[in-house]
Amino acid sequence: MRKTTMPVASPLSATAADCSIHVDLREVIHALSDALDLVGIDDVAHGKRVGIMAYHCALTVGLSRPQANFLFDLGLLHDIGVSSTRTHQHLVSEFDWAGSQQHCLTGAALLASFTPLAAMAEPVRYHHTPWEKLAAMPGLSREIAEQANLIYLVDRVDAMAAAFYSSGELLTHTPAIREQIAQRSSQHFAPQLVEAFLQASQAEAFWLQLEPRGIAGMLQDMRELSLPCQASTAQLKQLATLFSCIVDAKSPFTARHSQGVAGLSRWLAERLGLTPGRCDQLEIAALLHDLGKLRVPDEILEKPAGLTSRERSLINAHSFETYQILRHIRGFEEIACWAAYHHEEPDGHGYPFHLSAASMCIEARILRVADIFQALAQDRPYRAGLSADAVLATLQQLAAQQRIDPTILALAAQDMDGAMAAALPAGKAA
C-alpha cells in the first residue's frame, strides 16, 4: 500500500458559505452515523469500529493524518445503504453473503448525490468486492480499490469479533481472527493491506480501543483534531434528505414518508407566518424525525397484527432514539426537540416525554399534525391512502380527543387540496 494511493484530505475539509443554521457539517455526519449503527439493535458501534480500525491500519503503513481521517469517515459511513435489520444480521453473521452487493450500490448512490461525501461513493460501492476481482477490474483506480478493500477487511474483522465484545473474551479470540484474515490474503484482501492489519493488530490496544470507552475517546480525539467545516442550510437539507431516504427505505410501509412530512410541515409553517429560517429548521427536523426507527426490528415495523406490549415499547422508544442522535449536534438543539416530540399529545398522554400542550412549541405541534396527516394520506401496502375528506375526518376526531392541536388542523382544513399536495409530493404511491 503506497502513500500516494489515498486522497490527501477528507471530503469534509472544505468550508461552506451562506449558513443561516450554524452547524459543523462533520459534527452532523458523525452524529448521523449513530443512526446507521442503530440498525445493529443491540450492537450499535459497527461503523465506528470499522472506522477506527481503518484509521490505525492507514497510520501503520505511513499514510498522512488527513488520509487516515478519510478512511475513518469512510468507515463511519460505509454501511449507509443498510437500513434493514435483516440485512445487518446477514452482514455480521456470514463472511460472504450473496445479497451483500445491494447495500453497496445503494450506499454509493446516496453518497454520490451529496457533493461533500461524493469521494466516498466508489469505495463504498466496492467494499464487499474481493481483491482478486478489484485488481482485475478495468478502469478502477488503485487508490479506490485499496480504500474499498481496506474497509472490506476491517468490516469482516468486526463481523468475526462481534460475538466477543460483550463477553470479555475478545483477546482470547484475536489470534484466530488474525489467522482467518491471513488465509484470505490475495483472494479476498490485498496482501499489503493484510500485512498492515496483521502488524497493527499485534497490539492488545488495537482491540481494546474497540470497547465503548475506547470508541468514545477516539471520537473525541477526531472532533478535536478536525478542521471546522461550516454547513450551509442547503447542505443540511440535502444531508437530511439523504438520511430520510435511509429511514424510509427500511420498510415498504414507510416509503417517502419523511419527505412527505417535511413538505407538509413547511407548507403549514409558511401559512402560519414562520420566518424562512424557522421553516428551514422545521423541514430538517421533519426529514429526520424517524431516525430512531432504524433500531426497530423489521418484523415489528411490518407486523400486520397487533403488537405485544414488548413490541409496542420498542416502537415507542424510536422518538427518544431520534432525540439522542440529534441532541449532541451544536446548533440542532431546537431541531432535536421538534423531531423527538412528534408523538407527544396536548393532553400529556403522548410519548416519550409526556409533555403537555403548554410545553410544546408551535413547530413541534406542526410536525405532529403533519406526521399523522401524511401517514393517513399515503398509500401503504396494506391499504390505499385515505381521501382528503377521510383524512380530515380522522384528524378532527383526534383534535376532539386532545391528541393534536386543533389550530394547526384548522389551517390544513382551509385548503385540503394544498395540504394533500404538500404531503404527497410524488403522488400517493408507496
Side-chain angles (χ1 to χ4, degrees), residues 135-163:
M137 199 171 288
L140 184 67
S141 71
R142 188 173 182 86
E143 62 181 340
I144 290 175
E146 289 186 348
Q147 291 163 8
N149 199 237
L150 179 57
I151 295 301
Y152 185 28
L153 190 158
V154 293
D155 175 84
R156 294 301 82 199
V157 169
D158 194 61
M160 288 186 281

PDB file of all heavy atoms in Angstrom, residues 135-163:
ATOM      1  N   ALA A 135      -8.686  -6.044  -8.338  1.00  0.00           N
ATOM      2  CA  ALA A 135      -7.400  -5.840  -9.003  1.00  0.00           C
ATOM      3  C   ALA A 135      -7.495  -6.031 -10.512  1.00  0.00           C
ATOM      4  O   ALA A 135      -6.702  -5.463 -11.267  1.00  0.00           O
ATOM      5  CB  ALA A 135      -6.359  -6.793  -8.422  1.00  0.00           C
ATOM      6  N   ALA A 136      -8.479  -6.814 -10.957  1.00  0.00           N
ATOM      7  CA  ALA A 136      -8.633  -7.075 -12.384  1.00  0.00           C
ATOM      8  C   ALA A 136      -9.702  -6.208 -13.033  1.00  0.00           C
ATOM      9  O   ALA A 136      -9.995  -6.365 -14.223  1.00  0.00           O
ATOM     10  CB  ALA A 136      -8.980  -8.558 -12.595  1.00  0.00           C
ATOM     11  N   MET A 137     -10.278  -5.296 -12.280  1.00  0.00           N
ATOM     12  CA  MET A 137     -11.389  -4.500 -12.781  1.00  0.00           C
ATOM     13  C   MET A 137     -10.872  -3.341 -13.635  1.00  0.00           C
ATOM     14  O   MET A 137     -10.179  -2.455 -13.122  1.00  0.00           O
ATOM     15  CB  MET A 137     -12.208  -3.979 -11.600  1.00  0.00           C
ATOM     16  CG  MET A 137     -13.612  -3.533 -11.958  1.00  0.00           C
ATOM     17  SD  MET A 137     -14.574  -3.195 -10.457  1.00  0.00           S
ATOM     18  CE  MET A 137     -14.826  -4.859  -9.834  1.00  0.00           C
ATOM     19  N   PRO A 138     -11.192  -3.299 -14.913  1.00  0.00           N
ATOM     20  CA  PRO A 138     -10.674  -2.226 -15.766  1.00  0.00           C
ATOM     21  C   PRO A 138     -11.297  -0.879 -15.397  1.00  0.00           C
ATOM     22  O   PRO A 138     -12.482  -0.786 -15.080  1.00  0.00           O
ATOM     23  CB  PRO A 138     -11.102  -2.665 -17.174  1.00  0.00           C
ATOM     24  CG  PRO A 138     -12.283  -3.549 -16.959  1.00  0.00           C
ATOM     25  CD  PRO A 138     -12.034  -4.256 -15.658  1.00  0.00           C
ATOM     26  N   GLY A 139     -10.476   0.147 -15.411  1.00  0.00           N
ATOM     27  CA  GLY A 139     -10.972   1.494 -15.163  1.00  0.00           C
ATOM     28  C   GLY A 139     -11.068   1.885 -13.707  1.00  0.00           C
ATOM     29  O   GLY A 139     -11.349   3.046 -13.391  1.00  0.00           O
ATOM     30  N   LEU A 140     -10.861   0.938 -12.798  1.00  0.00           N
ATOM     31  CA  LEU A 140     -10.929   1.258 -11.371  1.00  0.00           C
ATOM     32  C   LEU A 140      -9.533   1.624 -10.880  1.00  0.00           C
ATOM     33  O   LEU A 140      -8.594   0.834 -10.999  1.00  0.00           O
ATOM     34  CB  LEU A 140     -11.465   0.067 -10.581  1.00  0.00           C
ATOM     35  CG  LEU A 140     -11.672   0.292  -9.077  1.00  0.00           C
ATOM     36  CD1 LEU A 140     -12.795   1.298  -8.838  1.00  0.00           C
ATOM     37  CD2 LEU A 140     -11.985  -1.019  -8.370  1.00  0.00           C
ATOM     38  N   SER A 141      -9.391   2.807 -10.316  1.00  0.00           N
ATOM     39  CA  SER A 141      -8.070   3.236  -9.866  1.00  0.00           C
ATOM     40  C   SER A 141      -7.611   2.410  -8.671  1.00  0.00           C
ATOM     41  O   SER A 141      -8.423   1.894  -7.893  1.00  0.00           O
ATOM     42  CB  SER A 141      -8.102   4.716  -9.473  1.00  0.00           C
ATOM     43  OG  SER A 141      -8.833   4.901  -8.278  1.00  0.00           O
ATOM     44  N   ARG A 142      -6.314   2.322  -8.528  1.00  0.00           N
ATOM     45  CA  ARG A 142      -5.770   1.543  -7.422  1.00  0.00           C
ATOM     46  C   ARG A 142      -6.127   2.174  -6.075  1.00  0.00           C
ATOM     47  O   ARG A 142      -6.371   1.476  -5.098  1.00  0.00           O
ATOM     48  CB  ARG A 142      -4.247   1.402  -7.562  1.00  0.00           C
ATOM     49  CG  ARG A 142      -3.657   0.426  -6.540  1.00  0.00           C
ATOM     50  CD  ARG A 142      -2.193   0.149  -6.790  1.00  0.00           C
ATOM     51  NE  ARG A 142      -1.678  -0.819  -5.844  1.00  0.00           N
ATOM     52  CZ  ARG A 142      -1.735  -2.131  -5.995  1.00  0.00           C
ATOM     53  NH1 ARG A 142      -2.310  -2.632  -7.079  1.00  0.00           N
ATOM     54  NH2 ARG A 142      -1.222  -2.946  -5.085  1.00  0.00           N
ATOM     55  N   GLU A 143      -6.172   3.505  -6.021  1.00  0.00           N
ATOM     56  CA  GLU A 143      -6.481   4.157  -4.749  1.00  0.00           C
ATOM     57  C   GLU A 143      -7.881   3.805  -4.275  1.00  0.00           C
ATOM     58  O   GLU A 143      -8.098   3.497  -3.101  1.00  0.00           O
ATOM     59  CB  GLU A 143      -6.304   5.670  -4.844  1.00  0.00           C
ATOM     60  CG  GLU A 143      -7.200   6.369  -5.837  1.00  0.00           C
ATOM     61  CD  GLU A 143      -6.946   7.859  -5.877  1.00  0.00           C
ATOM     62  OE1 GLU A 143      -6.379   8.400  -4.915  1.00  0.00           O
ATOM     63  OE2 GLU A 143      -7.306   8.492  -6.889  1.00  0.00           O
ATOM     64  N   ILE A 144      -8.853   3.812  -5.182  1.00  0.00           N
ATOM     65  CA  ILE A 144     -10.217   3.447  -4.803  1.00  0.00           C
ATOM     66  C   ILE A 144     -10.292   1.967  -4.444  1.00  0.00           C
ATOM     67  O   ILE A 144     -10.959   1.584  -3.472  1.00  0.00           O
ATOM     68  CB  ILE A 144     -11.199   3.792  -5.939  1.00  0.00           C
ATOM     69  CG1 ILE A 144     -11.329   5.314  -6.067  1.00  0.00           C
ATOM     70  CG2 ILE A 144     -12.562   3.163  -5.691  1.00  0.00           C
ATOM     71  CD1 ILE A 144     -12.178   5.766  -7.240  1.00  0.00           C
ATOM     72  N   ALA A 145      -9.597   1.140  -5.200  1.00  0.00           N
ATOM     73  CA  ALA A 145      -9.592  -0.296  -4.897  1.00  0.00           C
ATOM     74  C   ALA A 145      -9.042  -0.556  -3.505  1.00  0.00           C
ATOM     75  O   ALA A 145      -9.583  -1.372  -2.742  1.00  0.00           O
ATOM     76  CB  ALA A 145      -8.761  -1.037  -5.946  1.00  0.00           C
ATOM     77  N   GLU A 146      -7.977   0.141  -3.125  1.00  0.00           N
ATOM     78  CA  GLU A 146      -7.382  -0.068  -1.803  1.00  0.00           C
ATOM     79  C   GLU A 146      -8.260   0.504  -0.691  1.00  0.00           C
ATOM     80  O   GLU A 146      -8.367  -0.080   0.392  1.00  0.00           O
ATOM     81  CB  GLU A 146      -5.987   0.543  -1.768  1.00  0.00           C
ATOM     82  CG  GLU A 146      -4.984  -0.238  -2.605  1.00  0.00           C
ATOM     83  CD  GLU A 146      -3.565   0.279  -2.452  1.00  0.00           C
ATOM     84  OE1 GLU A 146      -3.370   1.370  -1.882  1.00  0.00           O
ATOM     85  OE2 GLU A 146      -2.636  -0.414  -2.909  1.00  0.00           O
ATOM     86  N   GLN A 147      -8.874   1.641  -0.949  1.00  0.00           N
ATOM     87  CA  GLN A 147      -9.805   2.184   0.046  1.00  0.00           C
ATOM     88  C   GLN A 147     -10.935   1.197   0.311  1.00  0.00           C
ATOM     89  O   GLN A 147     -11.258   0.879   1.466  1.00  0.00           O
ATOM     90  CB  GLN A 147     -10.382   3.518  -0.457  1.00  0.00           C
ATOM     91  CG  GLN A 147      -9.412   4.657  -0.525  1.00  0.00           C
ATOM     92  CD  GLN A 147      -9.928   5.790  -1.385  1.00  0.00           C
ATOM     93  OE1 GLN A 147     -11.074   5.806  -1.821  1.00  0.00           O
ATOM     94  NE2 GLN A 147      -9.057   6.754  -1.659  1.00  0.00           N
ATOM     95  N   ALA A 148     -11.554   0.723  -0.777  1.00  0.00           N
ATOM     96  CA  ALA A 148     -12.666  -0.214  -0.645  1.00  0.00           C
ATOM     97  C   ALA A 148     -12.229  -1.498   0.041  1.00  0.00           C
ATOM     98  O   ALA A 148     -12.933  -2.028   0.922  1.00  0.00           O
ATOM     99  CB  ALA A 148     -13.246  -0.524  -2.023  1.00  0.00           C
ATOM    100  N   ASN A 149     -11.067  -2.004  -0.327  1.00  0.00           N
ATOM    101  CA  ASN A 149     -10.622  -3.288   0.193  1.00  0.00           C
ATOM    102  C   ASN A 149     -10.214  -3.215   1.655  1.00  0.00           C
ATOM    103  O   ASN A 149     -10.430  -4.166   2.419  1.00  0.00           O
ATOM    104  CB  ASN A 149      -9.473  -3.825  -0.656  1.00  0.00           C
ATOM    105  CG  ASN A 149      -9.274  -5.316  -0.484  1.00  0.00           C
ATOM    106  OD1 ASN A 149      -8.200  -5.772  -0.119  1.00  0.00           O
ATOM    107  ND2 ASN A 149     -10.315  -6.101  -0.736  1.00  0.00           N
ATOM    108  N   LEU A 150      -9.647  -2.080   2.077  1.00  0.00           N
ATOM    109  CA  LEU A 150      -9.322  -1.934   3.494  1.00  0.00           C
ATOM    110  C   LEU A 150     -10.594  -1.918   4.338  1.00  0.00           C
ATOM    111  O   LEU A 150     -10.652  -2.542   5.406  1.00  0.00           O
ATOM    112  CB  LEU A 150      -8.509  -0.662   3.733  1.00  0.00           C
ATOM    113  CG  LEU A 150      -8.139  -0.394   5.191  1.00  0.00           C
ATOM    114  CD1 LEU A 150      -7.360  -1.564   5.799  1.00  0.00           C
ATOM    115  CD2 LEU A 150      -7.341   0.903   5.328  1.00  0.00           C
ATOM    116  N   ILE A 151     -11.623  -1.214   3.853  1.00  0.00           N
ATOM    117  CA  ILE A 151     -12.896  -1.217   4.588  1.00  0.00           C
ATOM    118  C   ILE A 151     -13.494  -2.618   4.615  1.00  0.00           C
ATOM    119  O   ILE A 151     -14.016  -3.068   5.656  1.00  0.00           O
ATOM    120  CB  ILE A 151     -13.879  -0.214   3.946  1.00  0.00           C
ATOM    121  CG1 ILE A 151     -13.345   1.222   4.093  1.00  0.00           C
ATOM    122  CG2 ILE A 151     -15.263  -0.334   4.598  1.00  0.00           C
ATOM    123  CD1 ILE A 151     -13.125   1.683   5.512  1.00  0.00           C
ATOM    124  N   TYR A 152     -13.414  -3.344   3.512  1.00  0.00           N
ATOM    125  CA  TYR A 152     -13.901  -4.724   3.475  1.00  0.00           C
ATOM    126  C   TYR A 152     -13.170  -5.570   4.515  1.00  0.00           C
ATOM    127  O   TYR A 152     -13.784  -6.330   5.272  1.00  0.00           O
ATOM    128  CB  TYR A 152     -13.691  -5.285   2.069  1.00  0.00           C
ATOM    129  CG  TYR A 152     -14.239  -6.674   1.813  1.00  0.00           C
ATOM    130  CD1 TYR A 152     -15.329  -7.186   2.513  1.00  0.00           C
ATOM    131  CD2 TYR A 152     -13.671  -7.483   0.818  1.00  0.00           C
ATOM    132  CE1 TYR A 152     -15.831  -8.445   2.247  1.00  0.00           C
ATOM    133  CE2 TYR A 152     -14.161  -8.744   0.544  1.00  0.00           C
ATOM    134  CZ  TYR A 152     -15.244  -9.230   1.268  1.00  0.00           C
ATOM    135  OH  TYR A 152     -15.750 -10.483   0.991  1.00  0.00           O
ATOM    136  N   LEU A 153     -11.863  -5.421   4.584  1.00  0.00           N
ATOM    137  CA  LEU A 153     -11.063  -6.216   5.510  1.00  0.00           C
ATOM    138  C   LEU A 153     -11.468  -5.965   6.959  1.00  0.00           C
ATOM    139  O   LEU A 153     -11.777  -6.906   7.707  1.00  0.00           O
ATOM    140  CB  LEU A 153      -9.571  -5.904   5.295  1.00  0.00           C
ATOM    141  CG  LEU A 153      -8.541  -6.785   5.997  1.00  0.00           C
ATOM    142  CD1 LEU A 153      -7.197  -6.692   5.268  1.00  0.00           C
ATOM    143  CD2 LEU A 153      -8.337  -6.424   7.470  1.00  0.00           C
ATOM    144  N   VAL A 154     -11.469  -4.706   7.369  1.00  0.00           N
ATOM    145  CA  VAL A 154     -11.767  -4.438   8.783  1.00  0.00           C
ATOM    146  C   VAL A 154     -13.247  -4.638   9.088  1.00  0.00           C
ATOM    147  O   VAL A 154     -13.617  -4.955  10.227  1.00  0.00           O
ATOM    148  CB  VAL A 154     -11.284  -3.032   9.202  1.00  0.00           C
ATOM    149  CG1 VAL A 154      -9.767  -2.963   9.170  1.00  0.00           C
ATOM    150  CG2 VAL A 154     -11.884  -1.932   8.344  1.00  0.00           C
ATOM    151  N   ASP A 155     -14.101  -4.489   8.081  1.00  0.00           N
ATOM    152  CA  ASP A 155     -15.523  -4.806   8.251  1.00  0.00           C
ATOM    153  C   ASP A 155     -15.699  -6.279   8.588  1.00  0.00           C
ATOM    154  O   ASP A 155     -16.476  -6.651   9.480  1.00  0.00           O
ATOM    155  CB  ASP A 155     -16.272  -4.447   6.973  1.00  0.00           C
ATOM    156  CG  ASP A 155     -17.737  -4.847   7.010  1.00  0.00           C
ATOM    157  OD1 ASP A 155     -18.542  -4.069   7.543  1.00  0.00           O
ATOM    158  OD2 ASP A 155     -18.073  -5.942   6.498  1.00  0.00           O
ATOM    159  N   ARG A 156     -14.981  -7.135   7.892  1.00  0.00           N
ATOM    160  CA  ARG A 156     -15.064  -8.578   8.167  1.00  0.00           C
ATOM    161  C   ARG A 156     -14.412  -8.921   9.504  1.00  0.00           C
ATOM    162  O   ARG A 156     -14.878  -9.833  10.201  1.00  0.00           O
ATOM    163  CB  ARG A 156     -14.402  -9.377   7.041  1.00  0.00           C
ATOM    164  CG  ARG A 156     -15.106  -9.273   5.685  1.00  0.00           C
ATOM    165  CD  ARG A 156     -16.546  -9.763   5.744  1.00  0.00           C
ATOM    166  NE  ARG A 156     -17.488  -8.768   6.253  1.00  0.00           N
ATOM    167  CZ  ARG A 156     -18.686  -9.039   6.733  1.00  0.00           C
ATOM    168  NH1 ARG A 156     -19.116 -10.277   6.825  1.00  0.00           N
ATOM    169  NH2 ARG A 156     -19.474  -8.080   7.159  1.00  0.00           N
ATOM    170  N   VAL A 157     -13.358  -8.217   9.868  1.00  0.00           N
ATOM    171  CA  VAL A 157     -12.773  -8.400  11.203  1.00  0.00           C
ATOM    172  C   VAL A 157     -13.822  -8.111  12.267  1.00  0.00           C
ATOM    173  O   VAL A 157     -13.990  -8.869  13.220  1.00  0.00           O
ATOM    174  CB  VAL A 157     -11.545  -7.490  11.387  1.00  0.00           C
ATOM    175  CG1 VAL A 157     -11.109  -7.474  12.853  1.00  0.00           C
ATOM    176  CG2 VAL A 157     -10.394  -7.954  10.504  1.00  0.00           C
ATOM    177  N   ASP A 158     -14.545  -7.007  12.101  1.00  0.00           N
ATOM    178  CA  ASP A 158     -15.548  -6.647  13.109  1.00  0.00           C
ATOM    179  C   ASP A 158     -16.681  -7.661  13.150  1.00  0.00           C
ATOM    180  O   ASP A 158     -17.203  -7.973  14.227  1.00  0.00           O
ATOM    181  CB  ASP A 158     -16.105  -5.251  12.819  1.00  0.00           C
ATOM    182  CG  ASP A 158     -16.878  -4.706  14.007  1.00  0.00           C
ATOM    183  OD1 ASP A 158     -16.273  -4.554  15.084  1.00  0.00           O
ATOM    184  OD2 ASP A 158     -18.093  -4.452  13.871  1.00  0.00           O
ATOM    185  N   ALA A 159     -17.052  -8.197  11.996  1.00  0.00           N
ATOM    186  CA  ALA A 159     -18.095  -9.222  11.974  1.00  0.00           C
ATOM    187  C   ALA A 159     -17.655 -10.461  12.747  1.00  0.00           C
ATOM    188  O   ALA A 159     -18.442 -11.058  13.496  1.00  0.00           O
ATOM    189  CB  ALA A 159     -18.442  -9.589  10.526  1.00  0.00           C
ATOM    190  N   MET A 160     -16.399 -10.853  12.599  1.00  0.00           N
ATOM    191  CA  MET A 160     -15.890 -12.027  13.313  1.00  0.00           C
ATOM    192  C   MET A 160     -15.725 -11.762  14.810  1.00  0.00           C
ATOM    193  O   MET A 160     -15.866 -12.669  15.630  1.00  0.00           O
ATOM    194  CB  MET A 160     -14.565 -12.468  12.705  1.00  0.00           C
ATOM    195  CG  MET A 160     -14.704 -13.102  11.337  1.00  0.00           C
ATOM    196  SD  MET A 160     -13.131 -13.767  10.701  1.00  0.00           S
ATOM    197  CE  MET A 160     -12.342 -12.265  10.130  1.00  0.00           C
ATOM    198  N   ALA A 161     -15.446 -10.522  15.165  1.00  0.00           N
ATOM    199  CA  ALA A 161     -15.206 -10.186  16.575  1.00  0.00           C
ATOM    200  C   ALA A 161     -16.477  -9.841  17.327  1.00  0.00           C
ATOM    201  O   ALA A 161     -16.476  -9.819  18.565  1.00  0.00           O
ATOM    202  CB  ALA A 161     -14.227  -9.011  16.653  1.00  0.00           C
ATOM    203  N   ALA A 162     -17.574  -9.575  16.623  1.00  0.00           N
ATOM    204  CA  ALA A 162     -18.784  -9.030  17.240  1.00  0.00           C
ATOM    205  C   ALA A 162     -19.303  -9.864  18.405  1.00  0.00           C
ATOM    206  O   ALA A 162     -19.787  -9.324  19.405  1.00  0.00           O
ATOM    207  CB  ALA A 162     -19.873  -8.864  16.182  1.00  0.00           C
ATOM    208  N   ALA A 163     -19.186 -11.169  18.291  1.00  0.00           N
ATOM    209  CA  ALA A 163     -19.734 -12.052  19.335  1.00  0.00           C
ATOM    210  C   ALA A 163     -18.962 -11.963  20.640  1.00  0.00           C
ATOM    211  O   ALA A 163     -19.448 -12.423  21.685  1.00  0.00           O
ATOM    212  CB  ALA A 163     -19.744 -13.491  18.840  1.00  0.00           C
TER     213      ALA A 163
END
